[in-house]
Amino acid sequence: MATLVGFIFVLVILLIIFEMLRRRHLREKYAVIWIIIGIGVLVLVAFPQLLFWSSGVLGVKVPSNLLFAMAIVLLVSVCLHLSFEQSQAEDEVRVLAEEVGILRLKVLQLEESLTQDGTAAGNGTHPGTVPPEPTP
């Protein structure tokens, strides 16, 4: 009964992941990680003797301890990856903010120079434009 519940739970999680991917709520690079994790858990649910065998090979006395250790390593890896992604995004945002600030300053300087040139010429036209010829 526990195997059936675990199997249904993992299938529901995988369906949620696929639905989030279909609706574009989850990016592909993150969906791949979660699909691999889901398939791994599905294999462990289908073949629980793999956990007993691997705990014996690794020298872990209680197989559930190996499962918890693998889960902790997985969670730490995901947190580390997300921290890396967040750091990159913060750097990109900082660079973009600096570029926007520089562009705004250049626009203000251009507007100011156009205003000064227009009033210095006295005719209100922008520099580089030819004033209209008078009509007889």
Side-chain angles (χ1 to χ4, degrees):
M1 183 65 184
T3 305
L4 181 63
V5 171
F7 191 76
I8 291 172
F9 179 74
V10 173
L11 284 179
V12 167
I13 295 297
L14 284 173
L15 287 175
I16 290 171
I17 291 169
F18 282 119
E19 184 62 22
M20 288 176 68
L21 184 62
R22 188 182 70 80
R23 292 183 183 208
R24 304 235 184 253
H25 293 299
L26 185 64
R27 294 186 60 186
E28 291 84 6
K29 67 180 180 178
Y30 301 119
V32 169
I33 294 170
W34 291 114
I35 289 171
I36 290 171
I37 291 168
I39 290 172
V41 172
L42 196 61
V43 167
L44 284 177
V45 167
F47 305 106
Q49 62 271 19
L50 282 175
L51 186 61
F52 289 100
W53 175 80
S54 59
S55 65
V57 169
L58 295 173
V60 178
K61 301 277 186 211
V62 182
S64 61
N65 287 346
L66 177 63
L67 186 63
F68 289 131
M70 289 185 337
I72 289 170
V73 167
L74 177 72
L75 290 174
V76 168
S77 299
V78 168
C79 287
L80 184 64
H81 175 73
L82 291 177
S83 296
F84 173 74
E85 291 284 333
Q86 182 182 6
S87 295
Q88 279 188 329
E90 285 177 359
D91 289 342
E92 290 176 10
V93 166
R94 182 186 47 80
V95 168
L96 288 173
E98 290 171 354
E99 288 177 357
V100 166
I102 291 169
L103 289 173
R104 281 186 182 164
L105 179 64
K106 286 183 179 181
V107 167
L108 288 174
Q109 288 173 346
L110 283 172
E111 288 175 348
E112 191 175 290
S113 69
L114 287 175
T115 304
Q116 288 174 356
D117 289 343
T119 56
N123 58 10
T125 60
H126 294 289
T129 59
V130 178
E133 294 191 20
T135 55

